[in-house]
Amino acid sequence: MSLLEIKNLTVKFPSRKGDFTAVNDVSLSVEPGEILGIVGESGAGKSTVGNAIISLLDPPGYVSGGSVWLKGERIDDLDENLKSAIRGKRIGMIFQDPLTSLNPLETVGAQLIETITLHLDIDEKAARARAIDLLNQVGIENSEERVDQFPHQFSGGMRQRVVIALALCSDPEVVIADEPTTALDVSIQAQILGLLRKLCEDRNVGMIMVTHDMGVIAEITDRVAVMYNGKLVEIGKTDKVLYNPTHDYTKSLISAVPRPDKKSHRFPLVTYIEDVKERPEDLKLSDMWLGKTRDYEEFDGPMLQVENLKQDFVVKHAIFKRNHKYFTALKGVSFDIKQGEVFGIVGESGSGKSTIARCVTGIYEPSGGTVSICGTDLNKLEDKSRQNYYRRQTQMVFQDPFSSLNGRMRVENIIAEPIIFHKQATNKTEVKKIVDELLETVGLGSNAAQKFPHEFSGGQRQRISIARALATRPRFLICDEPTSALDVSIQAQVLNLLKDLQEELGLTMMFISHDLPVIRQMCDRVAVMQSGEILEIAETEALFNTPQHSYTQSLLGLMPKFRTVS
Amino acid sequence: MENENNLNRWQDFRRRLADNDIWYSFKHTPMAYISAITGITLIALAVFAPLVAPQNPFDLASLDLFDASMPPSWMDQGDPRFLLGTDDQGRGILSTIFYGLRISLFVGFTSVFLSLLIGVSLGLISGYIGGRVDAVIMRIADVQLSFPAILIALLIDGVFRTVASKEIHEDLALYVVIFAIAISGWVQYARTVRSSVMTEKIKEYVQAGQVIGLGSGRIMIKHILPNVLGPVFVIGTLHLALAIIIEATLSFLGVGLPPTTPSLGTLIRIGNEYLFSGEWWITIFPGATLIILSLSVNLFGDWLRDALNPKLQ
């Protein structure tokens, strides 16, 4: 008898266009002390499985078939009161975002004590002692003191520890963790995963770990279930599934994960996804508007020169300027990007890498230092038309494909806007022709022009975003985490596209990412950033093989241990 | 070619409409379509008043004092020519209601449009530029918010009365009322738009516009404005009902529109004087029309608010 068993679970979401089957006939089981990973891309139904176990499906979803058994006892058909008694007491939960899973108005202790007294029959004093003990177990120092602090006084990683303590309050038999480390930086992720592994072993708890990240799966799970389109396609020992997959989908999914250990020319494509559409082979950029010689003045020096760049943000306004309080995002950063080079910037969240991109593109005005494109400092340039001349050369691809396109505009108008604004075409038919060519170039086809952004998937929107960036025929393209919001299979496609464009158009590129394997695949030279400073700049291979700075070394050490065999 | 293009656009529009959640919700919410039909009927009656009204109540030549104070046609002494009876000057109540609706709706729509224009532009500027400009605009809004709308309207009307002579006042009363109602309502739009702009302006599509090199004005109007208009339309419909009621209140108090151009509110006031002499129909029917009008507009606005709220879907 397994600790937790799911038999033939089917979950449906009714809508006016018919029922959508989110989970289709899934069966799995968890043993005590075991960590079972559920991995899959967005829309695979992995989170829905977790939610169905604890009967917390988002309305209007419902379980239309199958059963859930906890220690041989059926729990999915109990009435709501009995279910909520099991939830939190016998099954603990850890959610993705530690910011929203704690109540900001109550102290951490109050939240722990409330949960403990709710599930265990002990008085408040004993509950408090237990709360402190739990905080100790999840690795929070000075827990006597910190138990009376509010969530905002804890850092992201510490908060996730509190959430874990909360899940462990009542000695649950099963813990369901839904993307517990996705919102955290790699260094903290490693600590949290280590903690979860240890707690599972010490307390003999069975855990279901829902994640999209192959690295996390390789790191801590014993067995893994791979889901695709609501179906369980493969389940087995982690080592076997990762290094010797049998199902085609698992194979292609694993091959799309960027390799941290060596640079390969292109990413293998996941052919299992319907979304796949490569650029037609016979498309010659040199025959198109995009490939024609650009009318920019020749310049010999570096594309971009950043010298001692500083950026402060006002965090607290005051009537007089001298009383403002500032946060320093960049503490004097200097680097050059040569023409035709792909320059990577890597760092954890808050390191200031996106701020650099926004200073270079003129979204922020730097508080100090200079940013020169082709030897010209735009912020000192008075002439509007000259400013536009340089603006046109520098374009940017943004991180979030959902907010980077104006939802009220048709794709055609989104891409046409920069062409018209910079007077790149003389009449409407010409603009239309260029837009169609651009859409073709990024692999969308010209019938995308009449649609609105919400009719596209994340990866397709990112292609639209790239087409818009190309619409001014830039020489310098800035990519700010262009694939961090995408699934690995889509990421592989988008990165291939960027690589092709960079090579064929001879673009200079600044590529910002927190993901080291992606940086290794894309960049010629890399800068490592931490809290507003550049610690190290080196050629990519040199950086990965012989890192100089201790921070770089520790970052590299934290890279996912997962290696592909092929 | 051009024709085919139009046809395609039309098919495209039809497809989008069938796909649209708001249209679906509209078709499946009885309250929404009943109130919409009622509202549109009343608006149509008002617009086509000269064609549908049995008499022209403002054509003095057609009035006959022998017809004065007749009860509705189904009562004793009723006359089939006057379905809802007549007032003390022999004007048919039904016809005066049609013409009164015209004025009430005109005041309602123009004043809402005017305050929407003022509110949305100030809110947009306030939210996008921020800093001192924002502080000044919002403090003015705060001060105005501490006065009830009807009081501001009374104040503006009172000031105008003292400065203008009686003839000018009669001619311009309509526009003064519109202005008074518009000024009392802009704050809500400005605040709503400002807060939406503040969440929109940090989104990446705005930054993409800045990277292209677009100016602030273009970004505000072309990119941000269409994305913040949703809640504005909801307030607009709710405000339309309110504006009609404020106008009726002003007219009822005798500071709104003169009896020569009677709105629903003026009709209710005139009828009020005869209420105790048993001629109830003079005031009850315009009153009921006012209630039906504002109720249908309000219910439509309520539905629109819920339909546009993603949390309730």
Side-chain angles (χ1 to χ4, degrees), chain B residues 217-296:
Chain B
R218 200 184 161 97
I219 289 177
M220 274 200 272
I221 290 166
K222 237 190 123 187
H223 290 268
I224 296 181
L225 186 63
N227 284 294
V228 300
L229 281 183
V232 168
F233 287 133
V234 175
I235 304 176
T237 37
L238 297 175
H239 190 206
L240 176 64
L242 189 70
I244 292 168
I245 292 173
I246 292 180
E247 180 276 321
T249 314
L250 287 176
S251 300
F252 183 80
L253 293 174
V255 294
L257 299 176
T260 44
T261 49
S263 68
L264 288 179
T266 326
L267 294 178
I268 296 169
R269 176 174 61 102
I270 297 169
N272 193 38
E273 293 162 16
Y274 298 93
L275 198 54
F276 293 104
S277 53
E279 289 149 10
W280 51 269
W281 56 88
I282 304 179
T283 191
I284 292 292
F285 290 120
T289 314
L290 180 66
I291 290 170
I292 293 169
L293 176 64
S294 53
L295 198 63
S296 65

Side-chain angles (χ1 to χ4, degrees), chain A residues 61 107 174 212 287 332 485 487 509:
Chain A
T107 62
V174 180
H212 70 282
D287 301 340
D487 282 326
M509 215 186 256

Side-chain angles (χ1 to χ4, degrees), chain A residues 521-534:
Chain A
Q521 301 305 317
M522 293 299 291
C523 305
D524 302 324
R525 244 171 7 121
V526 183
V528 181
M529 285 196 75
Q530 190 191 23
S531 28
E533 282 169 303
I534 290 184

